[in-house]
Amino acid sequence: MSDLKSAGAAADDLPAPAEGLVLTHFLTVSDVPRSRAFYADVLGGRVVLDENPCIVKVANSWIIMNPGGGPTDDKPDVVLRTPEDPNTVSSFLNVRVADIHDFYATASAKGAEFLTPPIDRRAELRCYMRDPDGYLIEVGQATGMLKGILARTGTET
């Protein structure tokens, strides 16, 4: 039996396009089972592979997770580690939902920690949460942008 089949994953479950490309998001995590549970339970993902790497299919995308580590031959000067300062961010996962208030209530009940409740930014309703390693996740629902209304820039009164 192949490693894939023994792991319980079907080829269709994996981010392996027959042509073109798909985008996935890789996270360096400190505790694979804890992060796997977060992305499966809070975001409603389906675990495709448990580990090495852990892959959770969430909606039409995949979150790939592995512990940190030192350089490898294909990235000889790169060290992977979880965020050192959760308040300094260079990228984040962006999740779009149909009903942000329902998502907020459901995710909160499952233990998700949000920075604020959803806030009306004119173009969208938006809030942010963190995963167990402190990664920032934006959760948004398109509202005004569907009518050509742009977001507040923060300089507007």
Side-chain angles (χ1 to χ4, degrees):
M1 182 179 283
S2 75
D3 288 339
L4 183 63
K5 290 293 183 190
S6 66
D12 291 347
D13 291 333
L14 298 170
E19 60 183 68
L21 61 90
V22 298
L23 291 177
T24 66
H25 195 75
F26 178 91
L27 297 174
T28 302
V29 300
S30 59
D31 182 332
V32 172
R34 179 185 68 176
S35 294
R36 180 177 59 232
F38 175 85
Y39 285 95
D41 297 343
V42 174
L43 293 185
R46 186 168 48 81
V47 177
V48 175
L49 288 176
D50 283 342
E51 293 194 37
N52 300 321
C54 172
I55 301 176
V56 178
K57 187 173 186 178
V58 181
N60 60 347
S61 190
W62 293 265
I63 305 292
I64 300 173
M65 295 168 270
N66 250 343
T72 58
D73 58 355
D74 56 343
K75 51 180 180 41
D77 297 321
V78 177
V79 174
L80 298 179
R81 63 178 172 224
T82 59
E84 291 181 17
D85 175 7
N87 295 320
T88 301
V89 177
S90 62
S91 69
F92 54 86
L93 186 63
N94 187 300
V95 177
R96 309 309 290 180
V97 298
D99 183 338
I100 197 166
H101 296 293
D102 180 60
F103 180 90
Y104 179 82
T106 302
S108 294
K110 293 179 179 180
E113 295 183 20
F114 288 84
L115 278 60
T116 68
I119 293 174
D120 188 344
R121 303 277 305 158
R122 291 188 347 167
E124 64 184 342
L125 300 174
R126 186 174 79 198
C127 58
Y128 291 85
M129 59 192 247
R130 292 196 187 278
D131 85 348
D133 283 296
Y135 287 105
L136 192 64
I137 301 170
E138 176 184 301
V139 181
Q141 176 186 341
T143 55
M145 73 174 60
L146 300 174
K147 302 172 190 163
I149 300 170
L150 302 178
R152 285 194 301 264
T153 62
T155 60
E156 300 168 11
T157 58

